[in-house]
Amino acid sequence: MYSEWRTLHLVLKNDQGHTSVLHSYPENVGRDVANAVVRPLGQALNAPTTAASESILKTDKQVKWTMEVICYGLTLPLEGDTVKYCVDVYTDWIMALVSPKDSIPQPVIREPNKYIQIILKHLQNVFVPRQEQIGNQIRLCLQVLRSVQKLARDSTNMARETWEVLLLFLLQINDTLLAAPTVSGGIAESLADKLIGVLFEVWLLACTRCFPTPPYWKTAKEMVANWRHHSAVVEQWSKAICALTSRLLRFTYGPSFPPFKVPEEDASLIPTEMDNECVTQTWFRFLHILSNPVDLSNPSIIGTTPKFQEQFLNVSGVPNQELNQYSCLKQLPQIFFRAMRGVSCLVDAFLGISRPRADSAPPTPVNRLSMPQTTATNTTPPHSRRHRTVTVNKTTMKTSSVNTTHSTKVQQHATSTSPLSSPNQTNSEPRPLPAPTRPKVNSILNLFGSWLFDAALVHCKLQNGVNRDSSMTAIATQATVELRRKGSQLSTDTMGSSTVFDANEFPENYEAGRAEACGTLCRIFCSKKTGEEILSAYLSRFYMVLVQGLQIGDFICHPVLASIILNSPPLFCCDLKGINVVVPYFISALEIILPDRELSKFKSYVNPTELRRSSIHILLSLLPLPHHFGIVKSEVLLEGKFSNDDAGSDKPVTFLSLKLRLVNILIGALQTETDPNNTQMILGAMLNIVQDSAFLEATGNQVEMIENNVMKSHSRTNSGISTASGGSTEPTTPDSERPAQALLRDYDTAAGLLMRSIHLVTQRLNSQWRPDMSISLAALELLSGLAKVKVGIDSTDRKRAVSSVCTYIVYQCSRPAPHHSRDLHSMIVAAFQCLCVWLTEHPDMLNEKDCLKEVLEIVELGISGSKSKNPEQQEVRFKGDKEHNPASMRVKDAAEATLTCIMQLLGAFPPPSGPASPCSLVNETTLITYSRLPTVSKFSFRYFVLDNSVILAMLEQPLGNEQSNPSPSITVLIRGMSGRHAWAMQLCHLPRVARANQRMFIPEARPEPKNDVGIKYNVKHRPFPEEVDKIPFVKADLSIPDLHEIVTEELELRHEKLKHGMTKQIAYEAGLDHMKEEEFKKKSYPDPVTECKPPPPAQEFQTARLLLSHFGFLSLEALKEPVNSRLPPHLIALDSHIPGFFDDIGYLDLLPCRPFDTVFIFYMKAGQKTSQEILKNVEASSNVQPHFLEFLLSLGWPVDVGTHPGWTGHVSTSWSINCIGENEQGHEEIVTAEDTGGSIFNGEKKVLYYADALTEIAFVVPSAVEAQTDTSESNVSEQESDSNMDLLPGLLKQPLTLELFPNHTESLNSTQRLSPTSRTRKTPHGRTVPPLGPETKVAVVWLEQYDDLENFPLSDLAAETSTGIETTTNSTSIRNSTPEKEVPVIFIHPLYTGLFRVKVHGASGKFNMVIPLVDGMVVSRRALGFLVRQTVINICRRKRLESDSYNTPHVRRKQKITDIVNKYRNRQLEPEFYTSLFHEVGLKSCTP
């Protein structure tokens, strides 16, 4: 920068301004003159007179002569008061430029600049070191420095020449005292801090008022380079450059850039009047005034300055062995660290991550404690202390070898912050993100890269001929770099051999500074923006730094390794080109950190918990790589270059072959981790790797790895990383003693991973993790997630999971009463929920008797507080004999929900109607609509309540579609705690086969007569037999005369008349007989009139009475009130004619049967900040990335809002069962939806939906509102109200209000109406929103550019995330915070590799960390949808656990049923009740 300019060294050397005429006289002459002349002047100044006496010097001649004497007096010994008087006079005179006084001679006042320039040159003599009375000299020097400081601060008319003399004066006195090697207790050691402080402060003032010319800058730079063995130089430089940087950033990046806060004392170094251009010029020059700070790591450079050479050689040129050569050089490691810490602070400031912690005052600009001062005691372990005699080559350094010991290793105080801790990182605070407007990586490296790369490779032994030449560092020549690399290594006479320092032999002096540089480089590269390009030269150097810093085995450097790990958590999430070549080295480093429980070798440098957390973050980003890249080969280049094992195999390593090592690290970390947050991160990672393996095997893409050679390559010592760099002699996990084949069998398949995960988690869940709520919840969430992994494993492993959860519940319930708290009960409730997940996912487990018994015992324990059969007690306590004493009502409710799940959901989900509703999609309106009988209405139903918990709605009229079968049938709507279920029941007297063949009862028929059988004879019947005619008459026979004998004429007439009548009668009778005979022939057989027939079957039934009677509910005992109980009878009737009855029935149907959650998905393009821009992105598929649409469809399946019977994301359209949807219309929508970017799922017509037996989720993609959507939406809502609310006409007249805060409702609606982006969804008339507990919603944001997450306008999008239940949520029951802060946000950023980076934000409180997705995790495409969905489920479950107002669905329904019973109970006496059963439904029974 100043190569074309000359320095001022010759000017200073030839300047004799500090000498006096008296120096030409003998010493006693000058001393006497000075004593005589100065005394009256000094006494006059110090005299306690009331008024200041005038100076006795009146003319220029007098003043100049006196100044010659004073100049000589300043060189005298400090025994008397002469030197003090001289200093007093001069410090008084130089105030002529500030505030002239009478004590100052008039010539000085008239021409102050001229005289002050002379005075400053004379005052140099004060700073010439004396051997005696050092204390007095220090006081005089400080007096001069304070006066000079006041002069520079307060003078307003100082000429340029005076400024230049002042700067040269300060440079020269600093050089006089500081250039020479430091002597312990000397004046230089005492004054160094003040000297440098005044120099830098005055120099900055000069930059403002009289900017120094380049020769002055060049001279200052060269001189400061000679003083760097004083720690004060680096400290004062760091203060000044940090203060300048704070001002520079303020106007360079604007007010939105995070402020770089420095202490007020440091900020005051920069004059307020310094303009921006001056700050810029001064900042750059000041940055380089220290020269290359990496020189501090090399004593051969610091020890070759001219003053050092003068000290090392005595006057005769003979080496002086007794000089304490290393009294100052052994402080170089400390100074080097402070210099690197200063550079690190600057880098952090430019990255925008130097925000101060709230828990500590800022001792340094980045609020990190400086490194502790080393003590005089050597604390290096005895086995590593080696006395070395370093012989320096005289041709290059002109120094002699001197005995020394290794410098002390920096020890960490137990109470101080670690010197290697990453910036602003504490156990509880998240790592701050770099500022979005930060400069590019290349720009920062252009400024600081050469120093940082050099410092990061200090004293590294580069392998296999890779030289650090000038092209590598770009700041020094080959010779200098070579010298620095070897680090004063040289042959030693005393040891008799030529030794080259390597990482094993060289003292660990400079590790702290090197570690700081490595950590800073890692932070720089981790701050890369999305799409930003970094020069390949910088990347290659950085990777070499990583390879060297991550060396393990003999070359391990613990501070450097810890610093790299601490500052690299997001390194693999930044899309750095070629970063995967260092994956094996990071794996090797993680293998010695995570499975090590104690981390004893790192404790002195860093907080072990932070180190483990950073290691876990790195592990999270490495886990998906083996499956993602498969057999792609890695480190083809690096393996041959940097392997520490020259005989190692040069075979390239495939990513898939690293899977075993990563899984081993993960399992080892879980077995040794004790920190709750770290443990939860590991648990999330386990579900990630297991699920990814399962999906990979399910798609058939699993790469075969069964060959023996591939299996062998998994071993730690032959994995493509050499033994020295990749292996460790210590077992890293308890599994390391097992053969590799066994590990492969365990971990190489999803089933093996799943089994191993279940074993590990269940074992620890019932041991170490039981007392800790956060770990317990995470472990139960992991088990729930593992239950959903579709991999076939042995039933014993599944039973192990269920049994461990049961054991966990037993332990927690049995804890002493003082330990019972809300948190403990939350853990028990979560365990019951986990149990339900396992049972619903694997219902066949309950086919095994022991498993069923164990589960039901746990349910009994949760409901009643104890088991019927305890191991200690042989006798069984029956339910009726036990006193109910559950752990809490929440626990009891959770156990009842588990029992309901077992009895009603297992094996019955999803129902034939689909997973959208576990209930029947039938209610009274549906039955009325599809009934063929016009007389059926809503009053045709009989309503009964069983046991105060089940409402029966009985429809006795047949529906008209089964008239051919007159068997008694009834349709019953059963509304219970678990939902609404419709049963169509029929009374059956015949077996099913008989009913299929014979539809109704018909008696057996008689056989038909056969009239054509036999011979028919025509016989004329006689009154008497023919033989009677042959009997002869006797006299007696003749005594009776014949008729004609006695007839007269008169009688004859009568006789004829009678005969004629008889003839007619005979003919009539014959005809009648004939007719009867003909009629008889025509008659059927048998005669229906006379036939004996069975009675016909009944056609009309009072089926409700029959059903209740058959179930035994119509007994007198069932109708009586229980004694000593407020409960109603077992069976009661409801009066449906009471106004409001059907309103409450409809209200009950609106209470969901499962927890429901809502996810709002946003797409954020690069650089966007406003809500309108974000909402418009999803309108066309061309605006979004293809992976986004794939991600949407992996979350759930599309459903039509109008016909969907489940949750839709808003209460106004949810749980609809009577909407009539047109299939054709739906097909049209699907066709038009093909070109959308997801906006079709905005909740107006379609949403994405997912449901299982225990929960349902609606995924809504909000989009921008158009003007015409309001009318269409209102039409849709009106249609829904017509179709949904036929049962609720009463609400139109008397609307029910069950909201907790009606006023809050109105205000919320008004704000929604005012919002330009909000949709005004109208709840259908009469549809009352029930209070549904805490609102559980999550935002998922797809980020094209990761840095945009800080600009996401969550508060502006709050109107888009309305679900309609905000009005029913009691805000006091949850945290009192703004709604947008309660909404957790999952940010998803697609990486160029095809993987996805995840950031979880906004979950607060003790339920903060939810798995499986955690900050910094990298996820594959396959598992992304599943993991997001599972995280949403867990977030919402935890929010419900945390809420005081939340009741489980079955409890809410039970409470509503009780309310309905109390309001609409038909209070009849038993006779009236029985009578009503025989009456037509709808008729009022007669009451007296």
Side-chain angles (χ1 to χ4, degrees), residues 838-854:
W838 272 94
L839 296 178
T840 52
E841 293 293 333
H842 305 282
D844 55 334
M845 294 172 59
L846 293 188
N847 294 340
E848 301 185 25
K849 182 178 178 181
D850 54 344
C851 186
L852 177 62
K853 179 182 177 183
E854 185 174 20

Side-chain angles (χ1 to χ4, degrees), residues 80 130 174 206 305 514 562 581 657 726 773 809 847 1002 1064 1175 1204 1212 1289 1335 1420 1476-1477:
R130 271 87 161 173
N174 275 275
T305 61
R514 181 185 165 205
V581 298
S657 64
M773 184 183 74
I809 295 173
N847 294 340
I1002 301 174
K1064 290 174 68 175
L1175 293 175
H1204 180 56
S1212 63
E1335 186 184 14
S1420 67
S1476 66
L1477 293 176

